[in-house]
Amino acid sequence: MDSSLIVRPARVEDVARLARVIVRSWQETYRGLMSDAVLDDPGLVPARERFWTAALTDERYRENRVALAELDGQVVGVAMSGRPPDLEAAWTRHLYVLYVLALAHGTGAGSALLEAVLDPDESVALWVADPNPRAQAFYRKHGFVADGTIQVGDGVREVRMLRGVPPDR
């Protein structure tokens, strides 16, 4: 891990930087998979600011874990995990967000963020865009396996990946 990389819990005062990192990451990751009109919508950053404000202040999300990665003082990544949306799920945690700007790929930021929001002994599910070979390889490296479940939302095909979930779930 780069010595200038810092991973820490996100705070309310980070909301604007979190929103900008998410939008830039989406633009880097989903260009060609999502509509340019969505990715370039001037209202996207303010919408993400509202989302992160709620995620960090609303009592409903108190069990979420939110972390950010800074490289040389610049926020380059964000991760968030929480309860599964389906409380009957066979896993105890859901990874909702993990984005790292392209300029920070290979720095260890993704792995550090994953460790910051997930305990190694928790069973976890996540959705990852398909195709997104880099992200899928990252998750496989960290013990996640695609379970064959697919969903499509906002025109993006996603595959579900699990870690620590018994095969007979």
Side-chain angles (χ1 to χ4, degrees):
M1 185 183 305
D2 191 321
S3 61
S4 61
L5 178 70
I6 297 169
V7 173
R8 64 169 174 80
R11 301 181 296 256
V12 175
E13 56 267 26
D14 299 316
V15 162
R17 295 189 314 157
L18 294 174
R20 286 193 304 273
V21 164
I22 287 293
V23 170
R24 186 166 157 204
S25 293
W26 286 359
Q27 291 168 338
E28 293 174 349
T29 303
Y30 300 127
R31 184 77 63 194
L33 294 176
M34 289 181 88
S35 158
D36 286 349
V38 170
L39 293 173
D40 298 329
D41 181 340
L44 195 52
V45 170
R48 292 293 87 198
E49 287 176 356
R50 288 188 297 276
F51 168 83
W52 286 110
T53 298
L56 294 170
T57 63
D58 193 310
E59 186 63 21
R60 292 175 295 170
Y61 307 114
R62 71 182 176 281
E63 292 183 34
N64 285 3
R65 298 178 199 142
V66 182
L68 63 79
E70 292 177 315
L71 190 59
D72 298 325
Q74 177 186 355
V75 176
V76 296
V78 59
M80 180 176 74
S81 71
R83 293 175 138 189
D86 175 3
L87 298 180
E88 307 278 319
W91 45 89
T92 58
R93 203 92 185 143
H94 191 94
L95 182 65
Y96 287 101
V97 174
L98 196 153
Y99 289 99
V100 174
L101 296 177
L103 66 87
H105 287 175
T107 64
S111 296
L113 284 165
L114 193 68
E115 290 173 16
V117 299
L118 297 176
D119 291 333
D121 59 343
E122 290 177 307
S123 55
V124 184
L126 61 86
W127 291 98
V128 61
D130 186 44
N132 189 344
R134 181 182 186 88
Q136 290 175 17
F138 170 84
Y139 291 123
R140 281 193 303 274
K141 175 182 162 187
H142 289 279
F144 288 86
V145 177
D147 75 344
T149 305
I150 295 174
Q151 70 179 11
V152 178
D154 296 323
V156 178
R157 181 180 193 266
E158 296 177 300
V159 297
R160 186 170 65 194
M161 298 184 81
L162 307 173
R163 182 176 81 182
V165 179
D168 62 335
R169 55 173 174 80

